[in-house]
Amino acid sequence: MLKIRNGRDFVGGAAMVIVSLLFIWFGRDLDVGNSFQMGPGYFPVMLSLLLIGIGVLIMVQSLVVTVKGEPDAPANWKAYALVILAPVFFGLAISRLGLVPTMFLMIVTVSSASKYADWRHSIALALFMTICSVVLFTRLLSLPVSSFGPWIPFLGN
Amino acid sequence: MDIFSNLLLGAATAFQPINLVYAFIGCLLGTAIGVLPGLGPTATIAMLLPITFGLQPESALIMLAGIFYGAQYGGSTTAILINLPGESSSVVTAIDGYQMARRGRAGAALATAALGSFFAGSVATILLAVAAPPLAAVALNFGPAEYFSLMVLGLVASVALASGSLLKAFAMIAFGLLLGSVGTDVESGMPRYIFGIPELYDGLNFVAVSMGIFGICEILRNLENEHERSVGVKKVTGLMLTRDDFRRIRGPVLRGTALGSFLGVLPGGGAMLSSFAAYALEKRISPNRAEFGKGAIEAVAAPESANNAGAQTSFIPMLTLGIPGNPVMALMVGAMIIQGITPGPNVISEEPDLFWGMIVSMWSGNLMLVILNLPLIGLWVRMLTIPYHLLFPAIIGFCCIGAYSINNSVFDVFIMAGFSVVGFALSKLRFEPAPLLLGFILGPMLEENLRRAMLISQGDPTIFVRSPLSLSLLIVAVIVLGLVLSPSISRKRDEAFTE
């Protein structure tokens, strides 16, 4: 009976097959054409088929070859969530709160992803980053972001 | 000789005060990120790309190049002083450099690294000036078929030189090429994989993608096993090398420079591979090899020369052919496109100021780096005391603003966040992200040339083997592939990467 000897590669190969299937599915309306006049779908479909092939090979390999891999570091879900959600928060808040509150809140919050975080350091860093980003981006580079957004009473515009 | 007038032309651009200032900023930033572990040149250049939009093209590229080769200098400082390579290309320097520091010869090790790097940088600059124009002249005759074959060679070679499983590297290339097909199809104008999102008509923004995969993803990995750095650095003294030191490093520097210059040109090569190869070579042939691992000055000189030479010559394929050999070069290509310059063989003839200015600036930048690194060593040591828990929030902050400023839209910020997840998942599954980015950058070019070639040949795929140039490129690709698949080489490759 076949046994999965390398679980990580089995998942990896399967992930590649799934990715290719997604590309084929979402590109199903694209005209493939022929090799003389390739349609917009030709290149992605051929690549997806290639990637399915590679993915299957990786899966087959994972059934045959045992690999001694170094174990993963223990997952740190709090850090993952904070670091990944920080840019999402930034994207959602920047037009509503403005650069100053968004940057300040984001830095203070994301700092706590580290186990060495210290709230005094975090606030100092957040103030520093906020001032830097305001000077650099709204003054020097004149990006179209306001320091305070419409959700901030009195200061916002 | 033409080359002198060209270099003069370059000097006129590179020595303009404003460009000197940007070269200096680039070198300063490069050294800083080289010193700071957890922040590499790829992420930094991606982060700073949006800021360069407003600059002159020459200034922008000079600064970005400075960051790249500056990081090679900075990385060696931490490797020697605290046995912590700030940059992947300084991993082998740490072995003997740190031992030298422990025996009170930190100054000599730092001086060796800086002088070796400077020598290698100067040689590589000349090599770049000599080799680039003829290469570009050959490339001017390239048709779609030749370009297609060249890119195939580049992608195959990048697999050969990546660490880890070959199949996985190929999977990453295919995945990258697929991601590159998102956006409006160039030939037919049909939107592909855009899901009704208007921002995707131009495709995924590669700055946002690389900031996610290299910048944010790196933070996720670093926070997993976070530990405080205890920095116990003694005062560095004795930067002067003795006559005996000079005699001992002469050979390793020359060999390291030669090896690095050669490996840097290869696609997928560059600084890291060069330093590993140079160390391995010295370990085999040096008369003092018994001392290796215990603080041999040769083992610092060779890899440090090689990584700087490799960093510099990796500009050759990018500048002459428009083909990026590593992720940093891919970002440089992006920077050129943003500035309205089409990378490729035409750059030399159409933008001589930019081309030669950049080359000369590499030499002047190297000189600045020697000055920056040796007398200011105390400053860099102090930077090491910045703890990571203060560094990573700042990186995230700059990445967010950087992504936002690409198109003044939050969409790219979300793309960045999304690709940090993709990159993290891939790294958990032990897929290398570098071939993915290379495929992503080359994807649209590869597809365009493939389709043009097939149109010209009316659907006859033999067009790729009928042209002698294209055929030879493909033959080289097959040879590279064969070499990689052969068991003896792949065993050597594993050794080289585990060492």
Side-chain angles (χ1 to χ4, degrees), chain A residues 122-146:
Chain A
S122 307
I123 288 176
L125 177 72
L127 280 175
F128 173 74
M129 280 297 293
T130 309
I131 294 167
C132 275
S133 52
V134 168
V135 170
L136 191 61
F137 293 97
T138 63
R139 296 283 177 275
L140 295 179
L141 292 169
S142 45
L143 290 180
V145 281
S146 43

Side-chain angles (χ1 to χ4, degrees), chain B residues 374-408:
Chain B
L374 291 183
L376 291 182
I377 190 74
L379 179 78
W380 303 120
V381 174
R382 284 256 289 287
M383 256 185 79
L384 278 173
T385 54
I386 300 177
Y388 193 69
H389 72 257
L390 292 182
L391 199 58
F392 82 87
I395 300 173
I396 295 176
F398 280 121
C399 279
C400 286
I401 296 198
Y404 178 81
S405 60
I406 301 166
N407 291 316
N408 293 324

Side-chain angles (χ1 to χ4, degrees), chain A residues 8-9 11-13 15-16 19-20 22-24 26-27 29-31 35-41 43-44 47-48 50-51 54 57-58 61 70-76 79-80 83-84 86-88 90-92 94 99 103 106-107 110-111 113-118 121-122 125 129 132-133 136-137 141 143-145, chain B residues 50-51 148 165 167-168 170-172 174-175 177-179 181-182 185 187-188 190-193 195 216 219-220 223-228 389-398 400-402 404-405 408 410 413-414 416-417 420-421 424 426 428-431 443-444 446-447 450-451 454-461:
Chain A
R8 185 151 52 206
D9 275 10
V11 175
M16 290 302 121
V19 164
S20 339
L22 285 175
F23 268 93
I24 290 178
F26 287 111
D29 294 333
L30 295 170
D31 176 30
S35 62
F36 172 27
Q37 283 188 317
M38 297 180 188
F43 194 66
L47 276 172
S48 303
L50 177 74
L51 189 55
I54 299 174
L57 279 177
I58 294 175
Q61 202 182 35
E70 68 273 43
D72 271 322
N76 183 348
Y80 300 161
V83 172
I84 292 165
V88 176
F90 182 92
L92 293 174
I94 185 86
L99 184 59
M103 183 57 87
M106 184 181 83
I107 298 286
V110 84
S111 293
S114 163
K115 58 183 176 202
Y116 300 103
D118 166 346
H121 285 175
S122 307
L125 177 72
M129 280 297 293
C132 275
S133 52
L136 191 61
F137 293 97
L141 292 169
L143 290 180
V145 281
Chain B
I51 300 179
F148 176 81
S165 149
L167 270 176
K168 287 175 149 183
F170 273 113
M172 282 300 93
F175 189 18
L177 290 169
L178 274 172
L179 290 174
S181 68
V182 173
D185 173 38
E187 308 275 319
S188 65
M190 279 277 281
R192 294 192 291 198
Y193 307 110
F195 305 103
I216 307 281
I219 295 176
L220 289 170
L223 286 177
E224 265 184 343
N225 39 12
E226 199 190 1
H227 37 78
E228 284 290 78
H389 72 257
L390 292 182
L391 199 58
F392 82 87
I395 300 173
I396 295 176
F398 280 121
C400 286
I401 296 198
Y404 178 81
S405 60
N408 293 324
V410 293
V413 182
F414 296 134
M416 179 183 80
S420 68
V421 179
F424 191 58
L426 291 175
K428 281 279 162 198
L429 296 169
R430 300 288 186 276
F431 285 97
L446 190 77
E447 182 183 7
L450 170 70
R451 284 163 77 170
M454 293 305 264
L455 260 179
I456 293 171
S457 73
Q458 308 204 322
D460 177 7

